Amino acid sequence: MTHLPSTEAAVTALRAIAAEYAREIEVTHDIGADQTSRRTSAGVGVTADPDGSLPHEAHVELGGRPNVRVRLYPDEDALITVDGVECPDIDRDDVPAFLRSLYDGHAWVKARRFPPGHFLMVPLPRDRVHKEYILVGLSPWLARRTR
């Protein structure tokens, strides 16, 4: 697994994945403590964190199915949304592996009989699986992956 030391390094990795899987990619950046979502207490016009660093957050949208959006936070984690299913607190280093699992067809939806429910299951390196409860209805892409 490659360590992605910055938001920009993660964006570069996502651009490579988009090219590898022939996906369109759209990236927007929020730079500065007054712009990033987790620094709302910074105040108007305050761009640097108290330690002098400049926080950088990126929003990435990948084309095709499933619909995938990635929000890369300055705190080395990410929120990945797959067809409306939010997967929070993904380690930034795991984002490329998460997307490869989706695009290579390794992710699946686990159906639970009682109580009824569905979970998005995404294999990650080192024999880990990210499991996320699906609150929304199943998209056609998610429904085709139900086991």
Side-chain angles (χ1 to χ4, degrees), residues 31-34 36 39 46-49 51-57 74:
I31 300 174
D34 60 342
T36 58
R39 305 292 201 281
V46 177
T47 58
D49 278 345
D51 66 359
S53 65
L54 194 62
H56 177 192
E57 185 172 297

Side-chain angles (χ1 to χ4, degrees), residues 10-141:
V11 168
T12 300
L14 293 182
R15 286 186 192 281
I17 288 171
E20 180 181 340
Y21 291 94
R23 306 283 174 155
E24 290 184 17
I25 185 169
E26 185 176 319
V27 181
T28 58
H29 299 272
D30 293 330
I31 300 174
D34 60 342
Q35 300 296 312
T36 58
S37 63
R38 292 185 175 170
R39 305 292 201 281
T40 55
S41 64
V44 176
V46 177
T47 58
D49 278 345
D51 66 359
S53 65
L54 194 62
H56 177 192
E57 185 172 297
H59 307 269
V60 179
E61 199 157 331
L62 295 152
R65 291 284 169 236
N67 179 300
V68 176
R69 289 178 288 143
V70 180
R71 188 175 205 167
L72 297 162
Y73 296 109
D75 303 324
E76 298 192 10
D77 67 327
L79 166 67
I80 300 176
T81 305
V82 180
D83 275 356
V85 179
E86 289 190 351
C87 303
D89 303 321
I90 304 294
D91 189 292
R92 184 165 55 203
D93 291 341
D94 285 333
V95 171
F98 189 104
L99 295 181
R100 281 194 172 89
S101 284
L102 290 177
Y103 295 144
D104 286 341
H106 300 301
W108 74 95
V109 173
K110 179 180 179 180
R112 185 177 61 196
R113 294 184 194 274
F114 188 81
H118 294 91
F119 296 87
L120 176 61
M121 310 292 284
V122 182
L124 296 172
R126 297 184 310 275
D127 293 326
R128 297 173 298 139
V129 176
H130 181 84
K131 179 179 179 179
E132 200 63 50
Y133 182 69
I134 300 174
L135 294 171
V136 296
L138 295 181
S139 69
W141 186 89

